[in-house]
Amino acid sequence: MIRLETQYFNLNRILLLAIGLWPYQQSNFTRFQFIFLSTTLITSLIFQCTPFISQKCTSYFVTKILSSASIFALFVIKYNMFSVNIKAVKDLLKQLQLICNELKDKNEFAIINEYGCNAKRCTAALIICAICSLPVFIVAQFWSSILNNILSINVSQPHRFLIPMEYFVDQEKYFYWILLHYNVSFCIGITAMIGIGTTLLAYYQHTCGMFKIASYRIEHAMNSNMLQNINFKNELLIFEGLIWAVDIHRQAMKLTKHLQSSIQSMMFCIIVFGVASMSLNLYRIFQIIHADDTSLDNAKELILPILYTTVTFLYMFLSNHIGQYVTDHNHNVFVTVYNVRWYIAPLHIQRMILFLLQRESRDFVLNVGFFVISIEFFATLVKTSVSYFTVMYSTQ
């Protein structure tokens, strides 16, 4: 028997438990944890925007603030909107577990295991990437102090943040507290992005496994031995196999649509802020590269916009890739129905196959409003981001 929570969602469970969003353990403590972490994220976003109040706004200054604030806005949206849909996520996991409990043979278990392991490997890879990038992120913030120690410079240098922040206190005196707040917020946001994103990816991977099982059941029901030796018993087995194939295919589409409808508003906001973030950070990279100041302090400012651009690009790609993956797996069910040797089956079975072909004649896609999640849409998002960057560059 397959236990999804312990076998394939264990890494996702650890990440979501860390930020109080694992749907199966919602106690008073996790509610307090959510309020505390959400407040930390939101206040970090606010204090990144408060310099607009106290300082003169130039195009360089506005871009510097918004390039970072847009990423934190993504963190806040992702974290809070997932918490709103946590009951729906719990229900979907229960339904997925029930479907796995009804699998028929070892080949179907092997298919689900393959897709579950793919999701687990992707989660592990993203966690490793985040852990490896964290030291670079921390070193960049203490670069000036480290450089002074290496060069044995005794002159005390004022502390500088990588991005402007206004806490309305003596920032030199409370530098490390402010830095702690910023770093904790960033870690919460990255954990939320990876934890929530990979959980959704794991759901879609399992629905792709269900589509693959539907294809397997059709092939198994319409194998050559059955068709060449048609009798009453074999006809019943063929009908039963096709019915089970249609059933799991219907359940896969139902689960996918249910999940997509639950997160549609979240995904739309992420698309908008993702495009804005990529455009602003591309422009920020351009500003730093073409600045007159060529010192190491200026060069270290490249780290954050490059990191933010990479995170946004990777998230866009993975989101659209899994949408394309679901569409392709549904299409493969249609291809399987078309390729089986239906033409040597009895007429009433041929009619049933024709019904399946008509059912699959339209593509099954993931939608966010009018947008279809696919590799083509990913290319459109990147093109749009570059277009906005070009507009900002031309108006400087």
Side-chain angles (χ1 to χ4, degrees):
M1 179 179 174
I2 292 176
R3 293 289 302 168
L4 293 176
E5 183 179 342
T6 55
Q7 287 181 249
Y8 308 123
F9 284 84
N10 53 341
L11 292 177
N12 311 94
R13 178 176 173 272
I14 292 168
L15 291 171
L16 294 181
L17 276 174
I19 54 176
L21 290 181
W22 181 244
Y24 280 103
Q25 291 177 316
Q26 290 296 300
S27 61
N28 289 331
F29 173 76
T30 54
R31 292 187 189 96
F32 170 77
Q33 185 184 11
F34 167 75
I35 292 170
F36 175 76
L37 297 180
S38 179
T39 303
T40 303
L41 261 181
I42 293 170
T43 52
S44 181
L45 175 60
I46 291 170
F47 288 131
Q48 287 181 50
C49 295
T50 47
F52 287 130
I53 301 172
S54 58
Q55 299 187 38
K56 182 180 178 181
C57 293
T58 62
S59 61
Y60 184 90
F61 181 75
V62 169
T63 305
K64 189 173 184 178
I65 292 177
L66 291 182
S67 60
S68 178
S70 59
I71 281 287
F72 276 78
L74 277 175
F75 293 163
V76 171
I77 291 167
K78 192 83 171 178
Y79 187 67
N80 287 277
M81 285 195 173
F82 187 83
S83 69
V84 173
N85 296 303
I86 202 163
K87 187 177 182 300
V89 173
K90 183 179 179 180
D91 292 340
L92 283 166
L93 189 56
K94 285 181 177 178
Q95 292 176 47
L96 199 56
Q97 181 64 66
L98 290 173
I99 292 168
C100 290
N101 293 342
E102 295 174 354
L103 298 181
K104 299 297 180 183
D105 59 42
K106 63 180 183 180
N107 292 323
E108 295 182 2
F109 282 109
I111 291 170
I112 282 293
N113 181 65
E114 177 190 351
Y115 284 85
C117 288
N118 287 342
K120 195 172 179 179
R121 281 192 290 267
C122 185
T123 303
L126 289 173
I127 291 172
I128 291 169
C129 289
I131 291 172
C132 291
S133 62
L134 196 58
V136 178
F137 179 69
I138 293 172
V139 167
Q141 296 177 79
F142 293 98
W143 178 254
S144 299
S145 300
I146 294 170
L147 193 63
N148 291 341
N149 289 330
I150 292 173
L151 300 177
S152 300
I153 298 174
N154 295 322
V155 179
S156 177
Q157 299 287 335
H159 292 113
R160 288 181 57 195
F161 296 104
L162 286 176
I163 57 169
M165 291 182 287
E166 181 58 72
Y167 281 72
F168 304 104
V169 294
D170 185 345
Q171 300 204 152
E172 185 68 22
K173 181 179 178 181
Y174 296 100
F175 172 80
Y176 292 104
W177 288 107
I178 294 172
L179 200 61
L180 177 65
H181 181 219
Y182 176 76
N183 286 335
V184 168
S185 302
F186 182 80
C187 289
I188 294 168
I190 286 294
T191 304
M193 292 289 278
I194 295 175
I196 295 168
T198 54
T199 300
L200 299 177
L201 184 146
Y203 274 118
Y204 285 126
Q205 278 281 355
H206 281 84
T207 56
C208 287
M210 292 163 65
F211 285 128
K212 185 73 174 289
I213 290 170
S215 298
Y216 164 75
R217 287 180 177 177
I218 292 168
E219 289 176 338
H220 185 69
M222 298 290 291
N223 67 64
S224 298
N225 292 334
M226 288 280 210
L227 295 174
Q228 289 172 0
N229 185 25
I230 290 294
N231 53 45
F232 181 71
K233 182 181 177 181
N234 284 348
E235 283 189 17
L236 286 179
L237 290 174
I238 291 172
F239 274 117
E240 185 181 51
L242 292 176
I243 288 168
W244 282 112
V246 170
D247 181 62
I248 198 167
H249 181 257
R250 179 187 59 81
Q251 291 185 77
M253 290 197 297
K254 182 181 177 182
L255 277 179
T256 305
K257 288 177 180 177
H258 187 189
L259 177 58
Q260 195 62 20
S261 63
S262 300
I263 64 172
Q264 195 167 43
S265 57
M266 177 174 69
M267 293 305 298
F268 181 80
C269 293
I270 287 172
I271 288 170
V272 173
F273 280 91
V275 169
S277 175
M278 183 173 283
S279 302
L280 288 164
N281 280 287
L282 285 172
Y283 185 58
R284 177 72 184 136
I285 292 169
F286 168 82
Q287 284 182 324
I288 296 169
I289 290 173
H290 289 80
D292 294 331
D293 184 5
T294 58
S295 65
L296 288 173
D297 276 345
N298 191 60
K300 76 174 184 180
E301 293 190 7
L302 277 171
I303 293 173
L304 276 188
I306 289 174
L307 178 62
Y308 292 158
T309 303
T310 304
V311 169
T312 308
F313 182 89
L314 186 61
Y315 214 84
M316 282 182 179
F317 173 75
L318 289 176
S319 300
N320 285 281
H321 179 266
I322 195 63
Q324 186 69 58
Y325 202 55
V326 171
T327 300
D328 291 346
H329 273 73
N330 178 71
H331 180 69
N332 286 339
V333 177
F334 169 77
V335 172
T336 301
V337 174
Y338 185 80
N339 287 335
V340 294
R341 301 179 67 185
W342 52 268
Y343 46 85
I344 65 173
L347 189 59
H348 49 281
I349 294 179
Q350 289 187 28
R351 290 197 188 102
M352 190 172 184
I353 294 296
L354 182 60
F355 169 75
L356 292 177
L357 288 171
Q358 289 175 338
R359 180 185 176 88
E360 298 299 325
S361 60
R362 292 181 297 175
D363 285 337
F364 177 71
V365 296
L366 302 184
N367 293 308
V368 177
F370 297 106
F371 307 124
V372 175
I373 306 301
S374 63
I375 293 298
E376 184 180 353
F377 183 56
F378 165 70
T380 301
L381 290 178
V382 174
K383 183 180 177 181
T384 304
S385 301
V386 173
S387 298
Y388 287 141
F389 157 69
T390 306
V391 169
M392 286 186 283
Y393 167 69
S394 64
T395 56
Q396 69 168 349

